[in-house]
Amino acid sequence: MKNLKNNIFRLLIMITAVIILDSCKKDTTPKLTDLLYDLTVDGNQVTFKTVTTGISTYRWDFGDGGSSTEANPVHEYAGKGKYITTLYATINGSVTEASTVIRIAKTSPIKLDDNTLSDWDKGDYQYHYCWARWRYFSVS
C-alpha cells in the first residue's frame, strides 16, 4: 500500500513536470510595434516628423495622390479639405501602418496674429458696396 502511494505520488510529479515543461514553448506571437509620428500644420503646408525609432523603410500616402519615401517629409496640400494621411513603415522586418485625418481649413493670405496692418499695404484692394432699399408693405 505504501509502494502504491509512492508510485502515484511519483506519477503525479512526473505528469506535473511534463505539463510545466511542455507549456514553456517559444513565443511565436508577432511583436507589435506602435508607429507614431507628429505633424505640424501651417496653412496648406504640413510637416511630418516620425517619432518611432528603428524604421528601415518609409512610404507616406498623403491622401491627395501625393507620396514620399522620406523619413520626415513636408507636403503642400492644394487647398481646403479633409485628407487621410497614412505612413507605411518597415519595423523589425514587418510592415506597420498608421493613419490620421488632416483637415485643411480655408487659408487667408492675411496674417491675423502679427499685431500689424502691414499685410493690408500689399496689393490692390477693391471694395464693392451694395445698397439696398427695404420697403415694407402692409396687407389688409
Side-chain angles (χ1 to χ4, degrees):
M1 182 78 151
K2 195 173 188 181
N3 283 337
L4 182 61
K5 285 183 183 180
N6 284 339
N7 289 338
I8 292 176
F9 180 72
R10 287 183 188 150
L11 181 65
L12 288 175
I13 289 178
M14 290 171 64
I15 291 174
T16 305
V18 168
I19 290 174
I20 289 174
L21 293 175
D22 189 48
S23 65
C24 296
K25 293 181 181 177
K26 184 177 179 181
D27 187 11
T28 59
T29 306
K31 294 179 182 177
L32 301 177
T33 304
D34 290 332
L35 183 57
L36 303 172
Y37 59 89
D38 289 330
L39 58 96
T40 305
V41 179
D42 183 17
N44 290 1
Q45 182 175 309
V46 181
T47 304
F48 298 91
K49 182 176 185 291
T50 308
V51 176
T52 303
T53 58
I55 298 175
S56 58
T57 63
Y58 301 83
R59 185 171 59 88
W60 293 88
D61 176 1
F62 297 118
D64 64 349
S67 63
S68 176
T69 56
E70 296 176 25
N72 300 309
V74 177
H75 184 69
E76 184 87 22
Y77 286 95
K80 177 182 174 184
K82 180 172 77 170
Y83 303 95
I84 300 174
T85 301
T86 305
L87 169 60
Y88 301 92
T90 304
I91 306 172
N92 299 328
S94 63
V95 177
T96 306
E97 67 180 72
S99 297
T100 190
V101 176
I102 298 173
R103 294 181 193 270
I104 302 294
K106 184 176 179 181
T107 57
S108 170
I110 307 300
K111 295 179 183 174
L112 300 177
D113 61 351
D114 64 354
N115 296 323
T116 70
L117 297 176
S118 63
D119 294 329
W120 294 98
D121 297 337
K122 301 173 192 166
D124 186 19
Y125 298 99
Q126 297 178 359
Y127 299 96
H128 299 278
Y129 295 98
C130 180
W131 296 92
R133 179 185 282 176
W134 295 94
R135 293 186 181 177
Y136 298 96
F137 298 96
S138 63
V139 179
S140 29

